[in-house]
């Protein structure tokens, strides 16, 4: 009887630890999305930032390549994931590299497409996370976070859990954004452009004025 009580207490304690882990992971996941959206809004709001990203394509490629390498290291090297503050620093670098790498696509969009894509991806993803807590094989990564399944993440890997969810979100978001851009241009018959978007060289009206002035002088 006493042994059963100890087992029950241990099970209750493990559920509490798992619950705290879930809260940390999901809150970090939401924080990562908010942080990314803030930077994407800055890209759309300030033309200088967007034009700089368009002119320097190597930043996007380098950011994605760096995030891929660092994410691989973060997944397979457990010592880094539990080493504070190294794990937080590496998480921030991965997050920033991913955001920079994907910002170039966001430069080609507008606020309407960005907002529609966010709603179209984030809301169903939250629903899948909730449903995945109850039904097997729906939102597999959420199940590994929630535990009590065939596979579950360690309760110390909340940063890794949040990053994995963020990558899932980002892949879906990029695909939906591309589809939304095509749909926007098909419906409105006009490109979705941000403020101050640099689509090509701006012609200088000064030469035409000079030419017309010289022509008038010739008449005299």
């Amino acid at each position: 009887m006493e042994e059963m009580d100890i087992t029950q207490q241990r099970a209750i304690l493990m559920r509490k630890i798992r619950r705290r882990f879930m809260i940390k992971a999901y809150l970090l996941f939401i924080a990562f999305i908010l942080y990314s959206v803030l930077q994407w809004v800055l890209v759309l709001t300030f033309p200088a930032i967007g034009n700089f990203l368009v002119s320097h394509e190597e930043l996007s490629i380098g950011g994605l390549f760096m995030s891929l390498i660092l994410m691989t290291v973060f997944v397979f090297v457990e010592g880094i994931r539990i080493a504070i503050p190294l794990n937080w620093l590496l998480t921030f670098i991965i997050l920033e590299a991913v955001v920079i790498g994907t910002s170039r696509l966001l430069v080609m969009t507008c606020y309407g497409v960005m907002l529609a894509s966010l709603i179209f991806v984030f809301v169903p993803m939250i629903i899948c996370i909730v449903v995945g807590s109850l039904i097997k094989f729906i939102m597999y990564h959420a199940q590994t976070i929630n535990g009590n399944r065939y596979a579950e993440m360690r309760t110390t890997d909340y940063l890794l859990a949040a990053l994995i969810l963020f990558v899932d979100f980002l892949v879906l978001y990029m695909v939906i954004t591309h589809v939304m851009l095509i749909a926007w241009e098909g419906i409105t018959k006009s490109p979705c452009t941000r403020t101050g978007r640099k689509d090509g060289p701006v012609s200088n009206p000064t030469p035409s004025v000079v030419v017309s002035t010289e022509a008038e002088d010739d008449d005299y």
Side-chain angles (χ1 to χ4, degrees):
M1 188 68 178
E2 183 179 353
E3 183 178 352
M4 184 177 296
D5 291 339
I6 294 176
T7 303
Q8 291 177 349
Q9 291 176 2
R10 183 179 300 173
I12 293 173
L13 178 61
M14 293 303 297
R15 283 198 295 269
K16 289 182 179 179
I17 295 175
R18 175 64 58 175
R19 192 176 299 113
R20 286 197 294 266
F21 165 72
M22 290 167 53
I23 293 173
K24 282 183 180 180
Y26 291 135
L27 287 180
L28 282 171
F29 166 59
I30 295 174
F32 291 169
I33 293 179
L34 293 177
Y35 178 76
S36 303
V37 170
L38 176 61
Q39 294 196 59
W40 292 334
V41 169
L42 292 177
V43 169
L44 292 178
T45 303
F46 298 99
I49 301 177
N51 294 335
F52 180 80
L53 291 174
V54 171
S55 303
H56 296 80
E57 186 178 359
E58 64 276 6
L59 289 178
S60 299
I61 299 175
L64 291 176
F65 186 71
M66 179 186 297
S67 64
L68 178 62
I69 294 177
L70 294 180
M71 188 68 178
T72 303
V73 173
F74 200 70
V75 169
F76 289 102
V77 182
E78 183 182 357
I80 294 179
R81 298 200 305 268
I82 62 177
I84 300 174
L86 180 60
N87 54 355
W88 284 94
L89 177 61
L90 190 58
T91 299
F92 176 77
I93 294 175
I94 293 173
L95 180 63
E96 189 62 34
V98 170
V99 171
I100 292 176
T102 55
S103 291
R104 195 172 188 276
L105 174 62
L106 273 299
V107 171
M108 313 307 295
T109 66
C110 54
Y111 293 110
V113 168
M114 185 182 74
L115 181 60
S117 300
L118 283 172
I119 295 174
F120 200 86
V121 174
F122 185 71
V123 174
M125 193 170 182
I126 294 299
I127 295 175
C128 288
I129 289 175
V130 174
V131 175
S133 303
L134 306 174
I135 303 176
K136 294 181 179 180
F137 301 120
I138 295 180
M139 196 65 187
Y140 176 76
H141 289 153
Q143 292 189 36
T144 60
I145 294 173
N146 298 337
N148 296 325
R149 293 295 187 268
Y150 297 112
E152 60 182 27
M153 299 187 70
R154 297 177 181 176
T155 54
T156 56
D157 284 337
Y158 47 88
L159 289 175
L160 177 61
L163 279 176
I164 290 176
L165 288 177
F166 178 72
V167 170
D168 289 342
F169 164 82
L170 200 60
V171 170
L172 292 174
Y173 181 68
M174 292 295 104
V175 173
I176 294 300
T177 298
H178 184 69
V179 174
M180 287 286 185
L181 279 174
I182 297 175
W184 178 285
E185 295 180 1
I187 295 174
T188 63
K189 305 301 181 182
S190 62
C192 176
T193 57
R194 60 184 169 84
T195 304
R197 176 172 164 180
K198 186 171 64 176
D199 293 324
V202 180
S203 59
N204 188 357
T206 305
S208 61
V209 176
V210 174
V211 171
S212 61
T213 304
E214 291 177 352
E216 292 177 359
D217 292 339
D218 291 340
D219 292 339
Y220 286 109

